């Protein structure tokens, strides 16, 4: 196509805001296949120029990585010899869940990744040697030239976002928000270097880190992946982390050293979406986009970051993955980024006019590699077909392939040999080594923020200390999401060999000084303690599951407040220790405690907390508090009400203990998890629990129990679950009945269908029906599956992947009936809970 050059569509900036196929139509150079013609952006949006960046107002940088003449010659030879299918293969990244070495050999794939819930040979908890073995398998498949192909080596990407966190036994560093409290770029660089070394042990070459988001609304479920809400603080860390991971800015042959490829993410403004909605849209001005969210890319470019991952989110109504003005115009041209650009997990499917299976618009916008984890075959076939017809120009394909090859050559991949033969490979003693754990422990010490201290800290090591509350001896909880599993849930301490829980750290420090410690989650004790440390806070979560409507701790997690109250009434001083991925309204805990410490998500080295909290036998501090808030702390659940503690606040042992004035306490009864749709016998406000029948039978809304529905065919009573009368029991005498949860403001669950999120239903079946169907429904279509619904002795949590409901016909963008359970025949069952999540006990087959 003559109007294409330099990898950009040769049309004006206003036209470039169109979907790629619309732009090609304007140029008279393409015929649009029906699937793409059906969805286009609104003409008014194009005319307004919304979401189209002006690269000229962005700062110009210079990428420091020189193009090696021998590499450029090699790239030219490869491009001239590679077939079109081989080139398309280089543009594709598949997830370990859905690809085999044979697939890599056949399709010449350029990359694989391991998602949060994937592992080698189908085992998410596989030991380290299995990871290295799998790396060899995929490498050998990629370099196989028996079919006459080019044999370009594959690269393996992983979310090592706080250590090599997919691997059992690896060092788990504090999540980024805690690191932001440290104000220590030198330590950040050492963390990056330690992480790179541990990645190399198991044969991977690429980490999707660092996250350089600048969170502006901490209701966002990924906000803990950002260092700070302050762009200057974030920028001060980015270069150090990239340098720790990749080595010198102009470094070459990285695999000869202890390095891996880094990837800054997510370009751009993933932390700036309106209302903190994950994968949402940011309506900010271009100047804000540039000055807040673009600022961290200055040090990333300066340090020669090899890859950039583009965000799911959008700006002014345009998805980043299809925004040519930002990816090509700003990042590649104005910022002079010389590496390659990768999309996020099926993010191309959210671009206007695209689906998960087809999105040439992303390539034309500047994406070089599609992260198409479970849709890679379709994306491959679609790109190949469009390239063969000339619809996608070879200039753009060759540019993308050249960028990928250039990074692989900088890595030294063509000379490095199989992963098991490279430096550091198989040195399993480096995973969780004493040296790396000490770096992590130092980071924990430095990240702690002291918000209150009424002369109770530090604790004398000879004291009798009670350690109470939730999460006291739970390494998974203190590590948070993106730890071994995607959400960081379903784990036990045994899966963290060599790690130290908060309880382990405190008890060891106290007993080393001649004192004693007792572990008691509920705060009861056998011998009166001198002081109690009460641990509380958030449970692990990652994207989707972490989004909130308010900045309040879930009511279900505030049980330790009562423990603090009881201890206080007994005259026992209380130290509140909060595990959290973000600042939250916790005024009751601040009022009840004599000291309040924010531990963030400290990771595997809980001993770092004791290093600061527990002094020597005389009570003198061994380490002082040095951490300060990386963002403001809310006064109420609504940040618009102002800050209780400003950005940069943090006490230390030299701070004066002022008289404490109790903070206002606000009722937050409705501040629970918005992904819980039925619990404790109730539904959220504006929702209804309904019983439906057939024909002319009247619908019945259940507001209290006991109740009758469908002319007496259904009797509704209370059943105990978690709390007294926390479930609703439905005894159906005969015929068809349907239990509905209705939301009169339809839910858009489309983005959740791009993951492993499930509709979870907790049931006890006293008498099984003849048959049953379970699922969700919208106004125009429904997604229901056959549900065996066997009789059970207790409550069982069943799960249906939302992606299954989508394939069964549910319009997941307009879900009015998020839960539908239809039964035939006499039956008796109780519903204890309905919510979204991933912790199903039984996953129902999507047939």
């Amino acid at each position: 196509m003559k109007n294409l050059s330099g990898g950009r569509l040769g049309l004006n900036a206003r036209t470039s805001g169109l979907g790629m196929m619309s732009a090609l139509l304007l140029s008279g150079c393409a015929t649009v296949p029906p699937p793409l013609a059906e969805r286009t952006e609104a003409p008014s949006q194009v005319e307004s120029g919304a979401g189209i960046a002006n690269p000229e107002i962005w700062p110009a940088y210079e990428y420091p990585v020189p193009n090696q003449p021998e590499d450029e010659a090699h790239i030219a030879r490869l491009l001239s010899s590679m077939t079109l299918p081989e080139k398309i293969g280089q543009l594709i990244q598949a997830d370990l869940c859905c690809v085999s070495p044979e697939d890599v050999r056949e399709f010449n794939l350029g990359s694989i990744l391991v998602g949060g819930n994937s592992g080698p040979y189908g085992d998410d908890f596989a030991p380290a040697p299995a990871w290295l073995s799998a790396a060899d398998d995929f490498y050998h498949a990629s370099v196989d030239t028996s079919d006459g192909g080019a044999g370009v080596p594959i690269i393996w990407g992983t979310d090592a976002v706080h250590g090599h966190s997919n691997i059992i036994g690896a060092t788990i560093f504090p999540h980024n928000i805690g690191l932001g409290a440290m104000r220590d770029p030198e330590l950040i660089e050492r963390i990056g270097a330690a992480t790179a070394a541990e990645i190399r042990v198991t044969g991977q070459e690429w980490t999707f880190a660092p996250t350089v988001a600048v969170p502006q609304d901490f209701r966002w479920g990924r906000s803990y992946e950002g260092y700070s809400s302050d762009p200057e603080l974030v920028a001060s860390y980015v270069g150090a982390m990239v340098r720790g991971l990749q080595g010198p800015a102009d470094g070459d042959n990285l695999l000869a050293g202890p390095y891996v490829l880094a990837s800054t993410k997510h370009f751009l403004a993933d932390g700036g979406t309106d209302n903190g909605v994950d994968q949402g849209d940011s309506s900010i001005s271009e100047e804000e986009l540039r000055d807040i969210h673009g600022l961290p890319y200055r040090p990333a470019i300066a340090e020669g970051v090899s890859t950039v991952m583009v965000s799911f989110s959008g700006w002014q109504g345009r998805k980043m993955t299809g925004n040519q003005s930002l990816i090509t115009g700003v990042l590649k041209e104005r910022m002079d980024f010389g590496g390659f650009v990768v999309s996020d997990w099926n993010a191309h499917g959210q671009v206007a006019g695209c689906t998960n299976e087809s999105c040439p618009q992303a390539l034309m916008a500047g994406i070089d590699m599609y992260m198409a984890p479970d849709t890679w075959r379709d994306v491959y076939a679609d790109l190949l077909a469009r390239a063969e017809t000339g619809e996608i120009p070879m200039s753009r394909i060759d540019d993308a392939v050249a960028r990928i090859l250039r990074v692989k050559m900088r890595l030294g991949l063509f000379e490095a040999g199989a992963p098991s033969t490279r430096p550091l490979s198989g040195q399993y003693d480096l995973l969780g080594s004493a040296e790396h754990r000490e770096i992590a422990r130092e980071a924990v010490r430095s990240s702690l923020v002291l918000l209150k201290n009424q002369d109770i800290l530090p604790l004398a090591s000879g004291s009798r200390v009670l350690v109470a509350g939730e999460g006291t001896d739970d390494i998974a909880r203190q590590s948070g999401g993106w730890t071994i599993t995607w959400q960081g849930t379903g784990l036990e301490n045994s899966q963290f060999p060599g790690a130290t829980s908060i309880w382990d750290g405190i008890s060891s420090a106290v007993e080393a000084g001649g004192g004693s410690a007792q572990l008691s989650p509920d705060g009861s004790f056998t011998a009166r303690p001198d002081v109690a440390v009460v641990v509380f806070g958030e449970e692990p979560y990652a994207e989707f599951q972490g989004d909130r409507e308010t900045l309040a701790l879930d009511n279900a997690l505030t049980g330790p407040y009562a423990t603090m109250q009881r201890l206080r009434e007994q005259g026992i001083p209380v130290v509140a220790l909060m595990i959290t991925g973000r600042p939250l309204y916790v005024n009751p805990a601040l009022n009840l405690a004599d000291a309040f410490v924010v531990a963030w998500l400290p990771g595997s080295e809980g001993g770092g907390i004791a290093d600061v909290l527990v002094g020597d036998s005389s009570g003198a501090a061994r380490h002082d508090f040095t951490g300060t808030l990386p963002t403001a702390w809310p006064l109420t659940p609504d940040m618009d009400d102002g800050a209780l503690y400003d950005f940069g606040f943090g006490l230390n042992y030299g701070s004066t203990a002022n008289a404490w004035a109790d903070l206002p306490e606000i009722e937050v009864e409705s501040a629970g998890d918005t992904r819980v749709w039925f619990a404790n016998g109730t539904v959220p406000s504006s929702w209804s629990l309904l019983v439906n029948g057939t024909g002319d039978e009247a619908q019945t809304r259940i507001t209290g129990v006991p109740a009758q529905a469908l002319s007496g065919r259904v009797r509704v009573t209370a059943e105990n679950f978690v709390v007294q009368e926390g479930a609703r029991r439905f005894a159906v005498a005969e015929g068809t009945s349907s239990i509905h949860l209705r939301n009169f403001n339809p839910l858009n669950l489309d983005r959740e269908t791009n993951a492993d999120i499930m509709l979870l239903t907790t049931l006890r079946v006293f008498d099984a029906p003849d048959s049953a169907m379970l699922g969700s429904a919208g106004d125009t279509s429904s997604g229901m599956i056959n549900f065996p619904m066997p009789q059970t002795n207790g409550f069982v949590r069943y799960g249906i992947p939302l992606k299954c409901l989508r394939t069964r016909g549910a319009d997941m963008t307009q879900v009015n009936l998020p839960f539908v359970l239809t039964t035939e025949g006499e039956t008796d069952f109780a519903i204890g809970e309905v919510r979204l999540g991933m912790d199903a006990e039984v996953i129902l087959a999507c047939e």
Side-chain angles (χ1 to χ4, degrees):
M1 294 176 61
K2 300 298 185 184
N3 63 330
L4 290 160
S5 62
R8 286 209 299 169
L9 202 57
L11 303 171
N12 62 39
R14 187 176 302 277
T15 305
S16 70
L18 285 161
M20 172 262 189
M21 294 311 303
S22 299
L24 290 177
L25 272 179
L26 291 176
S27 69
C29 297
T31 300
V32 182
L36 294 178
E38 291 170 2
R39 296 173 59 194
T40 59
E41 297 183 47
S44 60
Q45 189 179 44
V46 174
E47 293 170 2
S48 69
I52 301 174
N54 175 14
E56 296 304 315
I57 72 169
W58 291 70
Y61 304 136
E62 184 175 345
Y63 194 60
V65 182
N67 288 343
Q68 306 291 343
E70 58 273 25
D71 288 349
E72 295 305 303
H74 191 184
I75 291 170
R77 290 194 301 271
L78 283 170
L79 288 177
S80 65
S81 65
M82 291 171 71
T83 64
L84 179 58
E86 286 180 299
K87 291 178 180 180
I88 297 299
Q90 285 301 301
L91 310 184
I92 304 294
Q93 183 182 62
D95 183 68
L96 202 57
C97 71
C98 309
V99 69
S100 68
E102 290 70 27
D103 293 328
V104 168
R105 179 182 294 107
E106 179 181 354
F107 293 94
N108 302 285
L109 300 184
S111 178
I112 60 169
L113 80 149
V114 54
N117 285 328
S118 298
Y121 311 114
D123 182 5
D124 197 21
F125 303 129
W131 289 79
L132 183 55
S133 175
D136 270 1
D137 291 345
F138 281 100
Y139 171 83
H140 288 305
S142 69
V143 298
D144 184 352
T145 59
S146 60
D147 60 355
V152 177
I154 202 166
I155 49 174
W156 183 335
T158 182
D159 281 291
V161 295
H162 63 140
H164 195 15
S165 49
N166 272 313
I167 307 298
I168 291 176
T171 309
I172 307 298
F173 294 94
H175 265 298
N176 283 356
I177 192 170
L179 300 183
M182 301 188 314
R183 312 298 205 273
D184 191 343
E186 186 275 334
L187 183 51
I188 291 290
E189 184 171 346
R190 287 192 279 136
I191 290 171
T195 301
E198 295 201 15
I199 293 171
R200 290 289 300 278
V201 168
T202 57
Q204 287 70 54
E205 308 97 351
W206 180 16
T207 175
F208 303 133
T211 301
V212 301
V214 188
Q216 300 299 288
D217 189 327
F218 281 78
R219 291 176 294 178
W220 181 39
R222 303 189 72 167
S223 57
Y224 64 77
E225 296 184 52
Y227 295 115
S228 172
S229 60
D230 178 68
E232 291 286 354
L233 176 54
V234 176
S236 73
Y237 276 10
V238 173
M241 180 59 82
V242 171
R243 196 163 53 247
L245 292 166
Q246 286 193 174
D250 59 353
D252 195 33
N253 197 13
L254 306 187
L255 291 179
Y259 304 122
V260 296
L261 299 176
S263 181
T264 46
K265 65 181 187 183
H266 303 86
F267 186 88
L268 192 62
D270 52 337
T273 59
D274 300 341
N275 302 314
V277 174
D278 190 49
Q279 302 185 16
D281 189 70
S282 178
S283 59
I284 60 177
S285 69
E286 185 170 0
E287 289 74 20
E288 291 173 291
L289 184 72
R290 176 195 65 196
D291 298 340
I292 297 173
H293 304 284
L295 189 66
Y297 285 86
R298 175 190 65 197
I301 299 295
E303 291 298 332
V305 68
S306 294
T307 68
V308 170
M309 184 183 295
V310 176
S311 180
F312 277 109
S313 61
W315 173 55
Q316 296 184 357
R318 297 181 186 278
K319 285 292 184 178
M320 290 289 173
T321 306
N323 195 319
Q324 185 189 46
S325 68
L326 284 167
I327 299 173
T328 300
V330 171
L331 179 62
K332 289 184 172 181
E333 296 186 347
R334 186 68 174 175
M335 291 185 174
D336 195 37
F337 172 61
F340 73 78
V341 176
V342 62
S343 60
D344 208 339
W345 185 283
N346 278 337
H348 56 273
Q350 297 186 17
V351 174
C354 292
T355 66
N356 284 0
E357 295 75 25
S358 172
C359 191
Q361 292 93 321
L363 183 66
M364 298 310 301
I367 294 294
D368 301 308
M369 180 179 286
Y370 286 75
M371 186 184 291
D374 53 356
T375 58
W376 65 266
R377 290 176 184 271
D378 295 308
V379 172
Y380 173 94
D382 182 74
L383 291 175
L384 180 60
R386 294 174 187 275
E388 288 174 337
T389 64
E391 186 180 317
I392 299 176
M394 283 303 304
S395 59
R396 175 75 270 263
I397 294 170
D398 282 350
D399 174 62
V401 174
R403 284 175 171 271
I404 293 166
L405 293 176
R406 195 168 289 122
V407 169
K408 289 184 175 183
M409 289 177 184
R410 180 189 181 193
L411 186 61
L413 196 62
F414 285 81
E415 300 79 32
S420 62
T421 67
R422 302 169 189 166
L424 304 185
S425 290
Q427 295 185 27
Y428 302 117
D429 56 345
L430 285 177
L431 294 172
S433 68
E435 177 185 359
H436 294 170
R437 290 191 185 280
E438 181 49 44
I439 295 171
R441 186 165 179 162
E442 180 182 352
V444 174
R445 286 197 298 267
S446 301
S447 66
L448 302 178
V449 177
L450 181 62
L451 297 184
K452 178 182 180 181
N453 186 21
Q454 300 300 97
D455 290 328
I456 190 63
L457 290 175
L459 308 177
S461 60
S463 303
R464 292 189 301 276
V465 179
L466 178 71
V467 183
E470 302 169 349
T472 57
D473 192 26
D474 189 337
I475 299 169
R477 185 163 179 178
Q478 70 191 44
S479 297
W482 296 105
T483 305
I484 302 181
T485 66
W486 175 34
Q487 298 285 330
T489 55
L491 303 171
E492 300 176 352
N493 283 358
S494 61
Q495 292 164 306
F496 295 88
T500 303
S501 70
I502 294 171
W503 156 249
D504 289 334
I506 293 175
S507 61
S508 296
V510 170
E511 291 167 3
S516 62
Q518 180 180 353
L519 176 63
S520 175
D522 65 1
S524 60
F525 50 82
T526 53
R528 180 182 176 84
D530 298 318
V531 65
V533 177
V534 180
V535 181
F536 78 106
E538 293 190 296
E539 294 179 327
Y541 55 83
E543 55 193 311
F544 300 118
Q545 291 295 94
D547 281 6
R548 304 194 55 74
E549 289 195 344
T550 70
L551 289 174
L553 186 67
D554 281 349
N555 290 321
L557 301 175
T558 61
Y561 292 0
T563 301
M564 296 181 205
Q565 179 67 44
R566 288 194 301 271
L567 292 166
R568 181 175 180 173
E569 290 170 353
Q570 297 174 74
I572 298 170
V574 172
V575 177
L577 181 68
M578 186 175 183
I579 300 171
T580 184
R582 57 188 142 202
L584 293 170
Y585 165 79
V586 286
N587 287 8
L590 279 159
N591 287 334
L592 288 167
D594 297 279
F596 191 103
V597 178
V598 184
W600 309 110
L601 298 170
S604 62
E605 305 313 302
I609 294 172
D611 289 345
V612 182
L613 266 62
V614 181
D616 60 22
S617 58
S618 69
R622 295 182 295 149
H623 295 273
D624 203 349
F625 284 92
T626 58
T628 57
L629 289 177
T631 190
W633 196 276
L635 175 64
T636 75
D638 186 347
M639 201 67 226
D640 289 342
D641 292 334
L644 175 61
Y645 299 110
D646 291 330
F647 168 83
F649 179 85
L651 303 174
N652 57 39
Y653 284 137
S655 302
T656 301
N658 298 319
W660 181 260
D662 275 352
L663 303 171
E665 298 185 13
I666 297 170
E667 177 58 52
V668 290
E669 193 66 33
S670 61
D673 188 341
T674 58
R675 285 170 171 74
V676 177
W677 300 336
F678 179 81
N680 300 328
T682 63
V683 294
S685 60
S686 82
W687 287 54
S688 297
L689 173 62
L690 305 170
V691 180
N692 276 17
T694 58
D696 296 330
E697 289 182 312
Q699 180 185 79
T700 302
R701 181 183 180 195
I702 306 301
T703 57
V705 290
Q708 290 189 351
L710 308 185
S711 303
R713 284 201 298 115
V714 180
R715 176 173 171 77
V716 186
T717 56
E719 187 75 18
N720 294 337
F721 175 71
V722 181
V723 298
Q724 187 174 0
E725 298 190 355
R728 291 294 174 261
R729 184 169 177 173
F730 301 85
V732 181
E734 60 181 352
T736 301
S737 70
S738 289
I739 313 302
H740 293 177
L741 291 180
R742 184 173 184 87
N743 175 20
F744 289 93
N745 297 309
L747 299 178
N748 184 349
L749 301 177
D750 188 57
R751 64 193 178 109
E752 282 88 343
T753 65
N754 192 32
D756 295 325
I757 303 296
M758 290 184 265
L759 169 65
L760 299 175
T761 307
T762 303
L763 295 170
R764 181 174 182 181
V765 181
F766 301 92
D767 183 15
D770 295 337
S771 64
M773 300 283 287
L774 180 64
S776 296
D779 281 339
T780 59
S781 61
S782 64
M784 303 287 287
I785 67 168
N786 290 318
F787 179 26
M789 202 169 169
Q791 183 173 331
T792 59
N793 292 325
F795 282 91
V796 177
R797 186 163 55 252
Y798 297 95
I800 307 174
L802 293 181
K803 64 179 68 174
C804 167
L805 300 183
R806 180 187 63 193
T807 62
R808 298 292 293 173
D811 178 1
M812 302 307 287
T813 67
Q814 293 282 327
V815 182
N816 281 320
L817 297 173
F819 171 83
V820 179
L821 173 59
T822 300
T823 61
E824 295 286 347
E826 183 178 352
T827 183
D828 185 0
F829 59 90
I831 302 175
E833 185 180 55
V834 179
R835 60 181 171 88
L836 297 182
M838 294 181 59
D839 53 335
E841 294 171 319
V842 177
I843 299 178
L844 299 176
C846 184
E847 297 179 354

